[in-house]
Amino acid sequence: MWLINSSIGRKVVMSVTGIALILFLTFHCCMNVVALFSGKAYNMICELLGANWYALVATLGLAALAVCHIVYAFILTAQNRRARGASRYEVTVKPEKVEWASQNMLVLGIIILLGLLLHLFNFWYNMMFAELTGMAVGHLPHEGFAFIQDTFKNPVYVVLYLVWLAALWFHLAHGFWSSMQTLGVSGKVWFKRWQCISVVYTSLLMLAFVVVVLAFAFNCAPSLC
């Protein structure tokens, strides 16, 4: 199958899964913004998205998208390295007009993966997993607001999340427009436009996440008043 065996097919899979993950991040961002203004409303959303069959199906689908995106990223990276062979060691000058993020997507991807594991430990493990297994945790599984407070009271977690969000910004700002180019949506006219849209959209998305982290870190979120 060309989606698996060909380089273009793998890039298409990477692009489609990447866009799907950006859409999820957008939903997650909107959910987090709710926590800024109402802990009760945020907990209601967490309860709605708890260990219900539809939430479990969505979680499994999201996990499949993430695993597929990660696996294909490593495959494409290995493929590119094999294609360059020993010549990659001969390069002493960085190519012109090549984004820093494009040259460091693997490193950014590893940072993002580690941040994702930390996030799953802080929230999914204490919420959905705890509800499924009946495991005792510090709060009721649907009390996501309390878990947000606990997590960002720790300055180490605050720094780690900010580093994670910075890596996500670089990754998405490049990956968004690159996905559109791979899918053939970006022509001569729209190439620069998609680059601009990618930077603006990613910046607003990550800024919202950063505001949530810092608002709870400094105890100044409106929902805490």
Side-chain angles (χ1 to χ4, degrees):
M1 187 177 180
W2 72 277
L3 285 174
I4 299 173
N5 298 325
S6 73
S7 176
I8 295 176
R10 296 186 188 109
K11 289 180 180 178
V12 168
V13 172
M14 278 281 293
S15 299
V16 172
T17 55
I19 291 170
L21 291 170
I22 290 173
L23 290 175
F24 168 74
L25 279 174
T26 303
F27 165 76
H28 196 355
C29 179
C30 294
M31 183 175 166
N32 283 10
V33 169
V34 171
L36 277 177
F37 300 98
S38 173
K40 184 178 179 180
Y42 183 76
N43 285 342
M44 286 176 63
I45 297 172
C46 291
E47 189 171 9
L48 179 66
L49 300 176
N52 307 300
W53 70 266
Y54 49 84
L56 290 173
V57 170
T59 300
L60 290 173
L62 182 63
L65 284 172
V67 169
C68 188
H69 191 78
I70 292 166
V71 169
Y72 272 65
F74 278 103
I75 290 173
L76 284 170
T77 300
Q79 176 184 304
N80 291 337
R81 284 178 175 272
R82 282 198 304 270
R84 289 199 303 267
S87 63
R88 68 177 183 270
Y89 300 110
E90 299 171 5
V91 177
T92 56
V93 180
K94 290 185 178 181
E96 293 183 7
K97 298 183 181 179
V98 176
E99 292 183 345
W100 179 89
S102 176
Q103 296 177 327
N104 296 277
M105 288 297 268
L106 180 61
V107 174
L108 290 172
I110 292 172
I111 295 172
I112 292 167
L113 177 58
L114 293 174
L116 175 61
L117 293 175
L118 175 66
H119 188 63
L120 290 173
F121 171 74
N122 284 330
F123 294 96
W124 180 83
Y125 176 76
N126 287 302
M127 296 172 71
M128 182 178 282
F129 183 79
E131 187 175 350
L132 287 170
T133 61
M135 180 182 68
V137 290
H139 307 283
L140 293 175
H142 69 274
E143 293 181 338
F145 189 77
F147 287 113
I148 290 179
Q149 288 178 281
D150 289 349
T151 298
F152 299 124
K153 279 180 183 177
N154 188 331
V156 174
Y157 282 149
V158 171
V159 172
L160 290 175
Y161 269 82
L162 292 177
V163 170
W164 182 38
L165 291 172
L168 270 171
W169 185 89
F170 281 107
H171 189 81
L172 297 181
H174 171 80
F176 192 164
W177 69 259
S178 181
S179 295
M180 294 302 178
Q181 187 179 40
T182 298
L183 295 175
V185 182
S186 175
K188 289 183 178 180
V189 175
W190 272 90
F191 179 74
K192 289 293 184 182
R193 292 178 183 176
W194 276 120
Q195 284 187 318
C196 181
I197 291 170
S198 298
V199 171
V200 172
Y201 189 84
T202 301
S203 297
L204 292 174
L205 193 63
M206 292 302 107
L207 179 61
F209 280 117
V210 169
V211 168
V212 172
V213 171
L214 295 180
F216 281 93
F218 291 100
N219 205 37
C220 60
S223 55
L224 297 173
C225 298

